[in-house]
Amino acid sequence: MGTPDDRTPLAERVEQLLAVKGPLPIVAAGDPVLRAGTEPYDGQLGPELLARFVAALRVTMRAAPGVGLAAPQVGIGLRIAVIEDPAPVPEEVRLARGRVPQPFRVLVNPAYEAVGAARTGFFEGCLSVPGYQAVVARAVSVRVRGQDEGGREVDEVFGGWPARIVQHEVDHLDGTLYLDRAELRSLSSSAAVVERWGQATAEGAARGLGFSLP
Ligand code: ZN
């Protein structure tokens, strides 16, 4: 408990952000907050404000729509991200990409490490880089350690598309954008991805655009 004077500047900033109802504005690439890394979450917001912040992240992610959102993407340098993927995709895509439904989760202070050496490359996009997608080679399976929104320890292995989502979001918390890891020759407008590269795998795009897959 505390008076307003006890609150951290980050808590003040989050309060200001949440004063406007509805989805939060998403920060676009070029804003230093996406490159600065994040502070570990250590109660800076307090439980009530944390719950409201997480709810706002969920609303914003769903409205975008996206399958993950990291706090820096709404201008807050805290090590918090949310993920959720209903995965409304055809069976062929589900099998090729391992895109299985991922229930809503809150990742607090997450870190990941690859499990095994298997890597796979697919197109991905980012709400902070609107209009484009690119192929990123990522670990097929990752071990994630951190906490949940209630402070409970998380130590869990994610595979398939959920593993890709987790890597993308945790990278945001370290100031890394997917483009830093992408095959730049694969960079495609979202329209081009729909028109040309909607196949279950990125092999056609690799041949057509001239880049390598793992
Ligand atoms: Zn992103």
Side-chain angles (χ1 to χ4, degrees):
M1 300 298 285
T3 64
D5 290 338
D6 296 326
R7 313 201 72 170
T8 67
L10 271 168
E12 298 287 349
R13 174 87 184 92
V14 171
E15 283 284 11
Q16 285 168 6
L17 207 53
L18 300 186
V20 180
K21 293 299 165 205
L24 304 173
I26 294 178
V27 171
D31 189 316
V33 73
L34 292 172
R35 294 308 201 172
T38 48
E39 290 182 20
Y41 181 72
D42 187 25
Q44 292 95 325
L45 305 186
E48 185 270 343
L49 185 55
L50 175 64
R52 286 198 288 130
F53 181 55
V54 163
L57 288 175
R58 184 176 60 220
V59 164
T60 305
M61 172 178 66
R62 287 177 175 173
V67 295
L69 190 66
Q73 293 183 277
V74 296
I76 300 299
L78 282 174
R79 202 165 180 82
I80 298 172
V82 296
I83 62 172
E84 180 184 48
D85 184 13
V89 295
E91 178 78 356
E92 182 195 11
V93 170
R94 186 179 68 76
L95 290 172
R97 303 184 191 178
R99 189 162 171 189
V100 294
Q102 169 61 55
F104 179 75
R105 291 285 297 272
V106 183
L107 304 175
V108 176
N109 298 326
Y112 70 82
E113 62 190 57
V115 176
R119 294 173 71 78
T120 182
F122 287 113
F123 279 100
E124 61 184 73
C126 178
L127 297 174
S128 294
V129 188
Y132 288 91
Q133 296 186 35
V135 171
V136 185
R138 293 196 186 271
V140 170
S141 179
V142 292
R143 179 179 181 182
V144 178
R145 279 179 275 199
Q147 294 97 47
D148 70 8
E149 65 274 39
R152 291 169 288 265
E153 292 299 316
V154 170
D155 183 348
E156 191 173 329
V157 173
F158 289 77
W161 205 258
R164 178 170 296 273
I165 297 169
V166 166
Q167 290 170 78
H168 181 117
E169 299 310 328
V170 174
D171 284 353
H172 270 302
L173 302 178
D174 292 324
T176 296
L177 295 178
Y178 84 103
L179 289 172
D180 300 338
R181 302 191 187 281
E183 289 289 342
L184 283 182
R185 289 186 64 102
S186 73
L187 186 65
S188 299
S189 71
S190 298
V193 173
V194 169
E195 285 168 24
R196 297 173 181 277
W197 312 129
Q199 300 86 5
T201 78
E203 284 163 21
R207 281 193 301 275
L209 300 175
F211 64 89
S212 302
L213 288 170

